[in-house]
Amino acid sequence: MDKLVVQGGVPLVGRVKISGAKNATLPLMCATLLSKGRNRLRNVPKLADVGTMGRLLATLGVTVTKKNDELVLDTVGAEGYECPYKLVKTMRASVLALGPLVAARGKARVSLPGGCAIGARPIDQHLKALAAMGAKIDLESGYVMATAKRLKGAEITMDMVTVTGTENILMAACLAKGTTIIRNAAREPEVVDLARALNAAGARIQGAGTATLEIKGVDEMAPLDHAVMADRIEAGTYMVAAAITKGELTLKDAPMEHLTSVVGKLKEAGVRFQRTAQGVVVSARRAPKPVSVITGPYPGFPTDMQAQFMAFMTMSNGSAVVQETIFENRMMHTAELKRMGASVEVTGSTAVVRGVRNLTGAPVMATDLRASACLVLAALAAEGETHVSRVYHLDRGYERIDQKLTTVGARIRRESE
């Protein structure tokens, strides 16, 4: 198991290219199950989760070939329908195969999902919607078994905004008979990216980016040929990296149109932004002003940026409140920040962060993907050396983060524990 060793206190200066989005790539990979042929995805990040999804699709009969940032997924002759526990347990996004499998193959047997330990994140909304579309749902020995001769269009109102739930039902509805309406749908840019790719392959989806989706089912779809959108969470993380180290980073391909809430909060804290021909220049020269945030569904402040922003606020010149409304266990990084000298008090899903003059290096342990990024950011700003353990979480969602940080001046190295 690897760890990162970070010698902090160095302002980051230089240029970082933002990779393709993990949260867009994974549903797109599952969407290839809707057609028979050679699917081509470009701008695909090199991540552990992408590799896991590739192995999962291979168990379903898909031939997966990766070269540089391009992924070719050949579904000709692919007939499998079971997603095994050994793969699904490591990555919650595996559940995104459920909808396409039922729609295209009439049956799916998918292990109940795993992934980061940040809350229950049940899939009841997925199952309720598929049942409304005519699927027979059975739970057996930790697996979901869903069957249907052909799904039928239905009017579905999600009880809560769920990104994977919206994506799963959106994909399933593409091959359903009739029209499906999804109300209270997720509006995230990754949902829009998925809809754009599906429409280009013959789907008939309207309303992507709004709370109501209308999908008119078709009899068959063509293979996907799509360039994955840039990763807004990776971009936001590097924005904080520039600010927390009082440095200056130029971010190439940062999707600024999808980062309005993050950029707004960073500007409130005193971070400067400038658009140039080379990319967006993000810089800071002094301790941040205290800024409070409440996470929420898009276009609100993303839960996937909460931990990183909290790391930034530990060094503010006052007190800020960070409130998490999406996942109930997403404050586990606070205990590790306190080991580094941060002043954070948590009550339920709300944290009061009182800025300190300096963080100090310490051995810390990551509990999930974004907590890993939070601890690396804190380590970059801290005095002394920090050992961040369990960085396999980090490798699930950040492409070559240690290498990218090294190129802009970070003193960071990877070691085996």
Side-chain angles (χ1 to χ4, degrees):
M1 191 177 296
D2 288 355
K3 68 177 178 180
L4 292 181
V5 180
V6 184
Q7 190 73 35
V10 178
L12 301 185
V13 179
R15 184 169 175 266
V16 175
K17 183 183 184 304
I18 303 304
S19 301
K22 173 183 87 85
N23 290 339
T25 300
L26 300 180
L28 285 164
M29 291 176 71
C30 289
T32 64
L33 296 168
L34 294 170
S35 65
K36 298 292 185 183
R38 286 171 58 86
N39 298 265
R40 181 169 170 250
L41 299 178
R42 290 161 279 125
N43 198 36
V44 174
K46 185 178 180 180
L47 300 171
D49 274 9
V50 173
T52 301
M53 185 63 82
R55 290 191 294 276
L56 178 67
L57 293 175
T59 68
L60 299 171
V62 181
T63 302
V64 182
T65 308
K66 192 174 193 309
K67 184 177 180 181
N68 299 322
D69 71 344
E70 184 170 305
L71 203 59
V72 176
L73 303 102
D74 191 340
T75 57
V76 174
E79 300 294 341
Y81 63 90
E82 180 169 329
C83 300
Y85 172 72
K86 66 180 180 180
L87 290 173
V88 177
K89 70 178 181 179
T90 65
M91 184 182 67
R92 176 181 166 76
S94 305
V95 75
L96 287 166
L98 179 62
L101 283 174
V102 178
R105 302 182 187 177
K107 56 185 175 181
R109 188 172 188 263
V110 180
S111 173
L112 292 171
C116 289
I118 58 175
R121 300 199 289 179
I123 62 168
D124 60 307
Q125 296 300 298
H126 307 234
L127 303 183
K128 171 185 169 184
L130 286 172
M133 298 172 73
K136 182 177 182 295
I137 307 292
D138 292 302
L139 299 179
E140 50 182 40
S141 304
Y143 279 78
V144 174
M145 186 71 193
T147 56
K149 280 190 175 182
R150 185 179 183 184
L151 294 174
K152 300 182 178 70
E155 293 199 17
I156 297 160
T157 300
M158 297 291 190
D159 293 338
M160 64 189 74
V161 177
T162 161
V163 176
T164 55
T166 298
E167 291 169 337
N168 226 340
I169 304 312
L170 171 65
M171 290 187 283
C174 289
L175 293 179
K177 183 178 181 179
T179 300
T180 299
I181 305 292
I182 306 175
R183 295 191 174 87
N184 200 26
R187 300 164 57 187
E188 270 70 4
E190 294 79 10
V191 175
V192 178
D193 200 48
L194 175 62
R196 186 182 300 118
L198 291 169
N199 278 339
R204 301 169 66 191
I205 303 165
Q206 294 182 330
T210 74
T212 302
L213 295 173
E214 181 179 296
I215 308 100
K216 294 180 180 178
V218 297
D219 292 332
E220 62 180 9
M221 289 180 55
L224 302 186
D225 187 349
H226 184 73
V228 179
M229 63 175 281
D231 195 321
R232 61 193 174 103
I233 304 302
E234 185 193 35
T237 301
Y238 283 108
M239 289 174 182
V240 175
I244 201 169
T245 63
K246 300 183 178 66
E248 181 174 291
L249 293 180
T250 300
L251 306 183
K252 184 178 186 297
D253 296 334
M256 297 297 285
E257 68 275 19
H258 302 148
L259 285 161
T260 304
S261 59
V262 173
V263 170
K265 290 297 182 180
L266 289 174
K267 283 183 175 179
E268 281 184 50
V271 181
R272 292 177 292 184
F273 291 82
Q274 181 182 1
R275 292 179 182 262
T276 71
Q278 290 71 42
V280 177
V281 180
V282 186
S283 61
R285 293 291 180 267
R286 55 183 62 87
K289 300 173 185 175
V291 176
S292 297
V293 297
I294 302 175
T295 64
Y298 188 85
F301 192 91
T303 180
D304 280 353
M305 280 299 301
Q306 178 256 105
Q308 300 93 305
F309 195 81
M310 185 185 292
F312 188 37
M313 287 297 100
T314 63
M315 302 190 70
S316 74
N317 56 18
S319 296
V321 176
V322 177
Q323 185 175 351
E324 173 62 47
T325 69
I326 307 297
F327 297 126
E328 66 270 24
N329 291 342
R330 209 164 203 176
M331 290 284 181
M332 291 187 287
H333 49 278
T334 57
E336 303 302 297
L337 287 173
K338 290 167 80 168
R339 290 173 54 81
M340 301 178 69
S343 176
V344 185
E345 296 298 328
V346 179
T347 303
S349 59
T350 300
V352 177
V353 186
R354 295 178 177 85
V356 297
R357 184 178 295 275
N358 294 301
L359 297 176
T360 55
V364 294
M365 183 177 68
T367 53
D368 62 71
L369 170 56
R370 305 309 172 183
S372 305
C374 159
L375 296 175
V376 169
L377 292 172
L380 291 169
E383 294 181 348
E385 190 172 86
T386 300
H387 292 232
V388 184
S389 298
R390 297 177 69 180
V391 293
Y392 63 86
H393 287 296
L394 202 64
D395 296 333
R396 290 181 50 223
Y398 289 91
E399 184 175 32
R400 301 180 296 106
I401 189 171
D402 47 333
Q403 296 175 42
K404 286 187 178 184
L405 288 171
T406 298
T407 64
V408 293
R411 295 179 292 189
I412 182 171
R413 66 182 187 274
R414 185 178 289 253
E415 293 183 355
S416 295
E417 294 191 90

